[in-house]
Amino acid sequence: DEFVRQLRENPANAIDMKHTTLAAAVQKRLRSLPPDARVVLDAMSVLGDADSELLTVITELDDAKLSTAIHHAVSSTLLVSATTPLGVMWRHPLMRDAVRDLLLPLEQQTLARRAADHLVNRTTEPSEGQLRQAAEMYELAGYPDRAARELIRAARAAVRGAALDVAEQHLAAAHALTGTLPGAALDVLIERIDTLTLAGRAADGYHSGIVALQSAAAGDSHRNAGPSCDAA
């Protein structure tokens, strides 16, 4: 689809289909964009779903510049109109990947951390979806403990909305992040037991607690045995 579009736009410049990649085609479109549009696309490639408030904070563009930048991005055909909070979305997920892959890991982490901090420190109480997104951003930024804690908050919000299965999904994801973080792991365990009990699955909650205690005991035994093995 992208190659056909470029051939139609520039029939005189044939594309070498054997050697031209989608990433190269996306880069060609990026080179034609003004700096503000590139800043917006870079941010969107990391954030995924975003609203104008979040993009304004991350890009530091005012509303007028942000609107103009989005129009340029749509004109480039990398973005298309959609029924999203921002009113646009990537024409294809692979294009988002191609733009994100051009960013250095540190650049991705910086954008992700800035977005997560904004989402959890909003003046209004963050929604379950915003807390889930904040957790994703903290994980990308390299803060699994903070990601786990935001997933716990998201689970609590889901419980308040009677979405117990969703809460359990959040807590399972948090559990996967806390293997080497005893404090966060304990918080996740307590929330899982509470949530499973509310869902009428007290036996599963009990089993979760037993497995966690056995895992903790095994970890303690391994740590205690470590010095003896070294001395031997």
Side-chain angles (χ1 to χ4, degrees):
D1 175 55
E2 175 59 21
F3 295 143
V4 169
R5 284 174 182 264
Q6 291 198 14
L7 284 170
R8 285 176 174 167
E9 293 168 0
N10 255 323
N13 297 328
I15 296 176
D16 183 352
M17 298 289 285
K18 292 183 179 179
H19 300 99
T20 298
T21 65
L22 177 61
V26 169
Q27 289 180 46
K28 181 177 180 180
R29 291 204 180 277
L30 290 173
R31 286 194 292 270
S32 68
L33 289 172
D36 284 353
R38 179 61 189 274
V39 167
V40 168
L41 288 172
D42 285 347
M44 288 183 63
S45 74
V46 173
L47 301 177
D49 292 335
D51 55 24
S52 58
E53 178 188 344
L54 182 58
L55 265 187
T56 298
V57 170
I58 302 309
T59 63
E60 299 181 342
L61 298 174
D62 60 32
D63 289 344
K65 289 183 178 179
L66 179 62
S67 178
T68 300
I70 292 174
H71 277 295
H72 282 299
V74 172
S75 297
S76 77
T77 74
L78 291 173
L79 300 182
V80 294
S81 298
T83 54
T84 63
L86 195 60
V88 295
M89 63 182 291
W90 292 95
R91 180 153 59 87
H92 194 283
L94 289 175
M95 291 181 166
R96 174 191 172 186
D97 294 344
V99 174
R100 186 179 58 228
D101 288 346
L102 293 173
L103 297 174
L104 295 172
L106 181 60
E107 292 175 312
Q108 296 184 40
Q109 292 165 2
T110 299
L111 288 169
R113 173 63 187 271
R114 194 182 303 165
D117 286 346
H118 174 72
L119 287 167
V120 301
N121 293 318
R122 296 166 63 98
T123 53
T124 57
E125 180 66 20
S127 67
E128 178 256 329
Q130 289 168 334
L131 291 168
R132 182 183 67 249
Q133 185 181 15
E136 293 172 358
M137 293 296 99
Y138 276 132
E139 184 179 2
L140 176 59
Y143 298 92
D145 55 334
R146 298 203 62 174
R149 295 190 186 283
E150 298 314 320
L151 283 170
I152 291 173
R153 292 179 66 193
R156 290 171 179 164
V159 168
R160 289 195 295 270
L164 299 179
D165 287 343
V166 173
E168 171 58 12
Q169 291 171 13
H170 291 328
L171 293 171
H175 177 70
L177 292 171
T178 58
T180 58
L181 304 166
L186 179 61
D187 290 341
V188 172
L189 172 61
I190 292 170
E191 291 294 330
R192 287 192 81 180
I193 292 173
D194 285 346
T195 300
L196 289 169
T197 302
L198 282 172
R201 295 165 55 192
D204 289 340
Y206 174 79
H207 178 69
S208 293
I210 293 298
V211 170
L213 290 172
Q214 290 173 341
S215 176
D220 288 341
S221 297
H222 179 74
R223 284 190 294 272
N224 292 333
S228 298
C229 292
D230 291 341

